[in-house]
Amino acid sequence: MTRINLTVDGAKVADDVEPRLLLVQYLRDKLGKTGTVIGCDTSNCGACTVHLDGTSVKSCNVLAVQADGAEVTTIEGLAATYDGGELHPVQESFRECHGLQCGYCTPGMIMQSVALLNENPKPTEQEIRLGLEGNLCRCTGYHNIVRAVQHASGQAEEMHA
Ligand code: FES
Ligand code: FES
């Protein structure tokens, strides 16, 4: 067992974990953060995306011990990183633009979208599609997801023009 100390969604946590434990397992099984979901076991789908010190990562591809000393934000803590409202603006945009159907990919899509917009606040449609290429959705055909990100970036009107 290895001792880890980290901050998850604003709360400090400390645990003894197996060195092989994945961050996604730690979040879900130890902390009950089941908003972060597992869609594959091969780092392909992006459903498990969280922010690690502000950078998006696939949490099935990170060991819990690698998060030692870090700050992790999951979909459950995202709204609290934004001052105002119950939802983060990107969450609002996904709701507004119907950027989901079954919703399974949505936590990862939103976390990746937030990271994308932090890096590039006014992305083109192509940049959004490229930025989300590591996140798979089996339902929507991606169109409304792209719209949601455009909407969140304040470009919805230009898109409809
Ligand atoms: S569960 Fe992590 S990429 Fe699919
Ligand atoms: S909304 Fe169902 S997988 Fe994306």
Side-chain angles (χ1 to χ4, degrees):
M1 291 288 205
T2 302
R3 189 75 175 165
I4 57 171
N5 293 272
L6 62 161
T7 302
V8 179
D9 293 337
K12 290 197 181 309
V13 291
D15 269 303
D16 294 318
V17 299
E18 293 273 1
R20 65 184 175 179
L21 185 73
L22 298 174
L23 179 59
V24 69
Q25 294 171 322
Y26 177 69
L27 292 172
R28 288 176 56 84
D29 301 341
K30 277 272 198 174
L31 302 184
K33 298 274 181 186
T34 51
T36 301
V37 296
I38 300 171
C40 70
D41 58 7
T42 54
S43 311
N44 279 326
C45 75
C48 63
T49 302
V50 300
H51 295 173
L52 183 64
D53 285 336
T55 300
S56 67
V57 296
K58 293 178 176 178
S59 61
C60 72
N61 204 29
V62 175
L63 295 168
V65 293
Q66 291 176 291
D68 184 32
E71 186 152 344
V72 175
T73 304
T74 78
I75 190 71
E76 296 183 40
L78 180 64
T81 67
Y82 173 73
D83 190 15
E86 282 181 22
L87 295 177
H88 186 280
V90 176
Q91 290 175 306
E92 282 285 7
S93 290
F94 269 68
R95 183 166 73 175
E96 179 80 15
C97 299
H98 308 290
L100 61 140
Q101 288 182 26
C102 82
Y104 203 84
C105 70
T106 312
M109 280 291 182
I110 289 177
M111 297 309 288
Q112 183 62 23
S113 298
V114 171
L116 166 67
L117 291 171
N118 284 343
E119 277 183 22
N120 181 1
K122 297 283 183 197
T124 64
E125 177 179 344
Q126 181 66 7
E127 286 169 340
I128 294 169
R129 290 184 184 276
L130 277 175
L132 296 179
E133 69 179 356
N135 291 69
L136 304 182
C137 176
R138 67 182 180 180
C139 302
T140 63
Y142 300 97
H143 186 66
N144 283 359
I145 291 173
V146 174
R147 270 189 68 211
V149 179
Q150 286 174 311
H151 186 271
S153 70
Q155 299 183 99
E157 292 70 25
E158 294 159 40
M159 183 193 64
H160 290 305

